[in-house]
Amino acid sequence: MEQTLVLVKPDGVQRGLVGEIVTRLERRGLKLLGMKFMQVSRELASTHYEAHVGKPFYEGLVSYITSSPIVAMVWEGKDAIQIVRTTMGATNAATAAPGTIRGDFAVEIGRNLVHGSDGVESAAREVSLFFKADELVNWSRETDRWIRE
Ligand code: IDP
Ligand code: MG
């Protein structure tokens, strides 16, 4: 079963969209394993975004993610990584499809509300960056048999 890290970025928290974003992932059928409201340090931001070091938007990105609190979550499910990515929509919110989180609530790439891991390796790395093993809850959900055959 895949796990993926989702962040409601500072703009999502400031704009009161935490509930909306959680609701969309819940309704999609993914299972929540962990959640915390937190301030991202510069150190955590630079580790999380180390793949983007040297890109023109890097400094702005680190300032953005550390500017105000975020909500970090781990969601689980078969194909959870891809399901989160399609639910978020394209990175550049200006071109994100309506019906996606970015396509419904955002207008540009630098304020695109959410983060979702982009692959199995990055998901494992990012989940362990934001959560200790004992902060993830192992639970069984009664509706699972109505979500997957
Ligand atoms: P993703 O969040 O859809 O996976 P990435 O390419 O991994 O997109 O970029 C990470 C984040 O960096 C984006 O979500 C966005 O916040 C920011 N970002 C990416 N490209 C740009 C850009 O060209 N200008 C400003 N911010 C950018
Ligand atoms: Mg990415």
Side-chain angles (χ1 to χ4, degrees), residues 21-23 45 51 66 70 74 79 97 107 135-137 139 141 147:
I21 291 165
V22 171
T23 294
T66 58
I70 65 149
V74 177
D79 302 319
V107 291
E135 291 174 326
L136 301 181
V137 179
W139 62 294
R141 189 173 53 178
I147 293 169

Side-chain angles (χ1 to χ4, degrees), residues 45-78:
S46 51
T47 310
H48 175 63
Y49 281 129
E50 69 188 9
H52 298 295
V53 172
K55 294 184 183 169
F57 59 85
Y58 176 75
E59 276 306 322
L61 178 58
V62 170
S63 302
Y64 166 41
I65 204 74
T66 58
S67 61
S68 181
I70 65 149
V71 174
M73 298 172 278
V74 177
W75 290 86
E76 184 184 75
K78 182 172 173 285

Side-chain angles (χ1 to χ4, degrees):
M1 199 69 80
E2 274 180 14
Q3 294 180 2
T4 186
L5 180 81
V6 177
L7 306 177
V8 180
K9 294 178 176 180
D11 47 341
V13 173
Q14 289 281 352
R15 293 177 57 196
L17 292 170
V18 173
E20 175 72 40
I21 291 165
V22 171
T23 294
R24 285 176 179 229
L25 297 173
E26 275 187 309
R27 287 187 179 167
R28 190 80 200 264
L30 296 174
K31 189 168 126 186
L32 184 65
L33 299 190
M35 179 183 239
K36 59 170 93 162
F37 183 60
M38 62 183 284
Q39 175 67 46
V40 175
S41 65
R42 268 198 83 87
E43 187 188 4
L44 176 58
S46 51
T47 310
H48 175 63
Y49 281 129
E50 69 188 9
H52 298 295
V53 172
K55 294 184 183 169
F57 59 85
Y58 176 75
E59 276 306 322
L61 178 58
V62 170
S63 302
Y64 166 41
I65 204 74
T66 58
S67 61
S68 181
I70 65 149
V71 174
M73 298 172 278
V74 177
W75 290 86
E76 184 184 75
K78 182 172 173 285
D79 302 319
I81 295 165
Q82 186 186 5
I83 289 166
V84 166
R85 299 282 298 181
T86 57
T87 305
M88 292 196 306
T91 306
N92 183 357
T95 63
T100 65
I101 292 166
R102 288 162 169 171
D104 285 350
F105 300 110
V107 291
E108 66 173 39
I109 196 165
R111 293 288 182 272
N112 62 2
L113 296 172
V114 271
H115 168 84
S117 307
D118 68 4
V120 175
E121 281 169 25
S122 60
R125 190 180 80 87
E126 293 172 359
V127 166
S128 64
L129 258 182
F130 282 81
F131 289 87
K132 298 179 191 133
D134 68 1
E135 291 174 326
L136 301 181
V137 179
N138 188 359
W139 62 294
S140 60
R141 189 173 53 178
E142 305 302 326
T143 52
D144 274 351
R145 69 196 178 99
W146 302 107
I147 293 169
R148 295 266 182 203
E149 67 176 11

